[in-house]
Structures are given as C-alpha cells and as structure tokens.
Amino acid sequence: MINHKRHKRLLKLLNEHQHASVQELTEWLSASAATVRRDIGWLAAKNQLTRTRGGAAKLQQKKRQFTLSSETFQNNIQNRAAEKRAIARHASSMCNDGETIIINGGTTTYMMVEFLVEKQLKILTNSFLMAERLLVSSDNEIILPGGKVYREQNVILSPFDNDITQHHYAAKMFMGVYGLSLLGLMEADPLLIQAEKRLISQTDELIVLVDSSKFARRAGLILCGLNRVSCVITDTGASDGAVQALEHEGVKVVTVAPEPLEQDGGSADFESSSEFPLAANDRF
C-alpha cells in the first residue's frame, strides 16, 4: 500500500477505534510492525495522532476558540425576552413595504423576524439565523454579506472593507448594541466595530433597539456617537433620567411596555430592570 494511502487508512482506523496497538494496526493495514511504527512516528510529528506506549491514539481536538469576545446568542436570547419582543414589534412596525433595510445580528433584532413575515422588504442582515427563518417563512428578499460565520454569536463578519455591504443602501438600519451611553453606542469587540461601522455608513436612519439593562452596561469601544442615532427603542424599565439624557442629545426615544410571550409560535423560544437614575447632564 502506498504511504499516503496507508497513512489515511491508519488515521481512519484511529478515528473509528480511538486508539490501537501496533499489533492491531499491523493486522488491519497488512503491514509490518516496523512500517507501522514509522507511520506512527511520521504522523505524530505532523500532529495528526498521539503516540502512545505500544501504539497510537486519535488526536483529541482542542476546544474551539472563538475570536469574538461578545456573549453568546443562545445565552442572551432568554434574557429580558418580554422586553425585547415588545421592542422588536415596534421596530418592525416602522418598516414599510418596498423599503430596503439593514438589520444587524443580535437577540432583540432577531425577534423582529416574527413581525416581518408578512412584509415585502429587501433585508440586508449579518444574522444567518434571521436570514434562514425569513427565507423559509416570508417573501422578503434577503441579502447576506460574505465573511466568517461565528456560530456562538449568530453573525457573519468580514475582516475586509470591500465586502458586499458597500453596494447596498438602506433607508433604515435596525441594530442592537452591547451598551449605550452619552458617549454613544458601545461594543465589546473590535471585529464587530469594524463590520457594523460599514453597515451604518450605508443607511440614512439608524434605529437602535436596546432593553433598559443596556443603559447600565459599559464597554471599551465606541461604535459611533449619539449624533448618528435617529431613534432609540427601549422598554418602560428605562429611567426618566436616561430617556431625558438621550432626548437632550437630540435622539428620539420610544418606550414600550414588555409583553407576555406567546406559549406557541415563534416567540415561544424566548424567555424574559435595572434602574438607571441620573440627571440629564450625567453620563450613562
């Protein structure tokens, strides 16, 4: 048997049996013990198996590391779901048939799916889960940017400036963020900042969807200033001081009451305040 074919067969056997002795491998491969030992040594040097006493074992894969520092989509989708659903419903009501809109990946923006099913829109989104659901449940035209899929955060991000987003213009962009302060919209990861800045540059009206807990969150990166924000949709748990501070900066604020989650249908997957006391001239 040619070397590379024998190597491939040896690795397949280890994948099936997890580990094997030299004697077992000689029988399975119809090769001499000396040949099998050489193969094990060569493959171990290439980091394709683990050498053991008297044989070899399947190389154990290291736990995958994700480069995004943001929290996982699955963890966040259950948090404050009643507030997020009400925010998503109101945001969806601002979409008019025939418009092109941008929606970034996030748990609150994802909840817009339920209310966009009957719409006729062109939607650019970097949420592959949102795209999948809208493709099978609606007649909306869906556009996805190219890039790497981050499963844990449910987003598609490209490190390059010349991706497909530069060719699309939208009347409105709906986005969720890590946090909100008088300094502007805040994110925790540089790669998110890079991708979202490109999306923001392709729209006229930036509409931010944040539940009231986001007013108390801090992050080390500023995505954009409040002067770029047209409207903030939040829940009634936001303090009067927080709302007044935004309005003082010229940002329209809409507050909506949390709504009970349906026990059947799309929002059954979602579950559901911190006070944010401050004066209009305080930072938050």
Side-chain angles (χ1 to χ4, degrees):
M1 187 183 295
I2 301 173
N3 283 357
H4 73 270
K5 290 185 177 180
R6 192 174 60 250
H7 292 166
K8 186 175 180 180
R9 174 66 178 155
L10 192 158
L11 292 173
K12 184 178 180 182
L13 287 166
L14 289 180
N15 191 51
E16 293 171 354
H17 299 277
Q18 304 302 312
H19 55 81
S21 66
V22 169
Q23 183 177 352
E24 288 173 324
L25 290 170
T26 58
E27 294 173 3
W28 294 338
L29 296 170
S30 299
S32 68
T35 297
V36 168
R37 289 192 183 95
R38 282 197 300 272
D39 290 344
I40 290 173
W42 191 88
L43 291 168
K46 297 292 184 181
N47 201 33
Q48 295 185 51
L49 57 72
T50 301
R51 201 169 192 169
T52 64
R53 185 173 182 179
K58 176 184 176 183
L59 185 69
Q60 296 301 312
Q61 298 295 321
K62 294 181 180 179
K63 187 177 180 182
R64 288 179 300 173
Q65 300 294 316
F66 296 92
T67 57
L68 287 184
S69 58
S70 54
E71 297 174 30
T72 67
F73 182 89
Q74 200 58 42
N75 288 343
N76 282 339
I77 195 68
Q78 305 295 334
N79 186 33
R80 295 179 177 267
E83 288 87 347
K84 291 177 179 178
R85 184 167 188 260
I87 293 168
R89 181 192 292 275
H90 186 87
S92 301
S93 72
M94 300 173 69
C95 301
N96 303 312
D97 285 348
E99 283 186 325
T100 298
I101 64 171
I102 298 173
I103 306 178
N104 82 328
T107 53
T108 308
T109 50
Y110 173 72
M111 289 193 181
M112 292 176 68
V113 168
E114 177 185 356
F115 310 108
L116 294 176
V117 169
E118 301 302 323
K119 299 282 188 178
Q120 299 286 331
L121 301 164
K122 181 182 289 187
I123 301 172
L124 170 61
T125 180
N126 61 3
S127 165
F128 62 88
L129 188 56
M130 170 177 280
E132 179 186 40
R133 282 197 61 186
L134 286 173
L135 281 170
V136 300
S137 64
S138 78
D139 292 327
N140 291 289
E141 181 180 342
I142 309 301
I143 304 165
L144 285 169
K148 180 177 178 180
V149 175
Y150 292 82
R151 293 178 179 87
E152 293 287 281
Q153 289 81 14
N154 177 39
V155 291
I156 303 168
L157 299 178
S158 170
F160 307 110
D161 290 329
N162 59 340
D163 64 13
I164 193 173
T165 58
Q166 67 178 321
H167 302 296
H168 292 274
Y169 159 83
K172 301 182 182 81
M173 177 175 176
F174 298 88
M175 74 178 306
V177 291
Y178 181 88
L180 184 63
S181 79
L182 285 181
L183 294 175
L185 309 183
M186 294 184 290
E187 283 291 1
D189 193 279
L191 191 55
L192 281 173
I193 289 280
Q194 183 181 357
E196 290 178 347
K197 277 188 174 181
R198 287 199 297 272
L199 292 174
I200 290 172
S201 68
Q202 301 301 112
T203 187
D204 282 339
E205 191 175 354
L206 180 59
I207 302 163
V208 180
L209 283 58
V210 287
D211 67 78
S212 53
S213 69
K214 298 295 181 72
F215 291 99
R217 300 183 76 176
R218 296 292 180 270
L221 300 170
I222 297 175
L223 174 59
C224 69
L226 292 178
N227 61 318
R228 187 65 182 85
V229 179
S230 304
C231 177
V232 168
I233 308 173
T234 187
D235 61 82
T236 50
S239 70
D240 292 342
V243 173
Q244 291 168 9
L246 287 173
E247 292 177 338
H248 182 74
E249 295 296 319
V251 178
K252 179 183 177 182
V253 181
V254 177
T255 58
V256 293
E259 58 182 69
L261 301 185
E262 294 178 359
Q263 296 307 307
D264 54 350
S267 59
D269 297 333
F270 314 132
E271 248 183 67
S272 155
S273 122
S274 60
E275 196 53 30
F276 186 41
L278 49 91
N281 59 350
D282 290 334
R283 288 190 173 184
F284 57 93

